[in-house]
């Protein structure tokens, strides 16, 4: 699920955003202070930021500027009817779109989806793609910066260096059969464990951690006589 981060000091608006957007298959984090927003941005992949321009004791435009220095995450501003000058400045400085309060949840949802589509299309068209921040697959998210694997319903799963490297190799080439030599090269496991059977040992450990039934794997499948395949669709968060 795309991760939406919302910053608004109004608890009623945060509640509406949490309940409505969660019902539309988004993962939502709603916070009231700028430092909370920045902490989440530095720790987790975020697909879109909802940012209230008028925050007590804080400058929403300055926060948007700081976000843009750290990330290319799309920013959707929330502003009041009389804040046209702020909206114009926000669009010039950092933001990608805006919604005027009081807003219709359906309009907000439409703008969020349109902005996500536009951002994804733009990223696909750029030859110099930004680095991958995370991979998502089958209810899992692998955060590359934090080297953290999180399941929707099971929390964080600890990975060894070899498990993390091998999983990254699979997620970079999903639904393609990879030989042991290709996996050794792409995961650089040869620099950690120098024997060919290390792939098989690491595969066994990974299956125990991410498969519902490790004895009958559906994600990490064996292609007899060839190698292994990651048999699941993978989405990339940049």
């Amino acid at each position: 699920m795309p991760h939406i981060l919302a910053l608004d000091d109004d608890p009623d608006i945060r509640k509406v955003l949490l309940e409505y957007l969660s019902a539309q298959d988004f993962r939502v984090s709603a916070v009231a202070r700028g430092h909370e927003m920045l902490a989440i941005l530095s720790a987790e992949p975020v697909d879109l930021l909802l940012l209230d321009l008028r925050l007590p004791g804080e400058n929403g435009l300055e926060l948007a500027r700081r976000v843009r220095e750290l990330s290319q995450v799309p920013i959707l501003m929330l502003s009041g009817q009389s804040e046209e000058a702020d909206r114009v400045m926000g669009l010039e400085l950092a933001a990608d779109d805006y919604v005027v309060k009081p807003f219709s949840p359906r309009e907000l949802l439409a703008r969020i989806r349109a902005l996500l589509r536009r951002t994804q299309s733009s990223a696909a068209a750029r030859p110099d793609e930004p680095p991958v921040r995370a991979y998502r697959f089958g209810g899992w998210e692998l955060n590359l910066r934090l080297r953290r694997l999180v399941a929707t319903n099971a929390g964080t799963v600890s990975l060894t260096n070899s498990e993390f490297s091998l999983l990254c190799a699979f997620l970079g080439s999903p639904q393609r059969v990879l030989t042991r030599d290709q996996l050794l090269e792409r995961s650089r496991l040869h620099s950690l464990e120098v024997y060919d059977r290390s792939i098989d040992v690491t595969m066994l450990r990974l299956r125990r951690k991410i498969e519902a039934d490790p004895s009958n794997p559906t994600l990490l499948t064996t292609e007899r006589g060839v190698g292994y395949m990651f048999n699941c669709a993978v989405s990339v968060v940049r």
Side-chain angles (χ1 to χ4, degrees), residues 15-32:
K15 181 180 179 182
V16 169
L17 292 174
L18 274 169
E19 293 179 351
Y20 185 77
L21 294 178
S22 295
Q24 303 300 321
D25 294 329
F26 290 103
R27 181 162 69 94
V28 184
S29 300
V31 297

Side-chain angles (χ1 to χ4, degrees), residues 43-55:
E44 301 182 43
V46 173
D47 297 281
L48 186 141
L49 173 64
L50 293 174
L51 175 60
D52 185 10
L53 286 183
R54 290 300 175 96
L55 299 164

Side-chain angles (χ1 to χ4, degrees), residues 166 180 183 189 195-207 222 227-228:
L166 186 60
R180 286 184 176 83
L183 287 170
L189 280 181
Y195 56 96
D196 186 56
R197 298 296 292 177
S198 65
I199 293 291
D200 302 318
V201 174
T202 308
M203 279 289 294
L204 180 62
R205 296 201 304 255
L206 261 181
R207 281 171 171 165
T222 301
Y228 297 101

Side-chain angles (χ1 to χ4, degrees), residues 98-118:
Y98 69 90
V99 172
V100 174
K101 294 181 180 180
F103 54 80
S104 158
R106 291 182 62 185
E107 179 190 358
L108 178 66
L109 176 64
R111 288 185 177 275
I112 287 173
R113 287 176 169 166
L115 186 50
L116 288 174
R117 285 195 302 269
R118 193 161 74 238

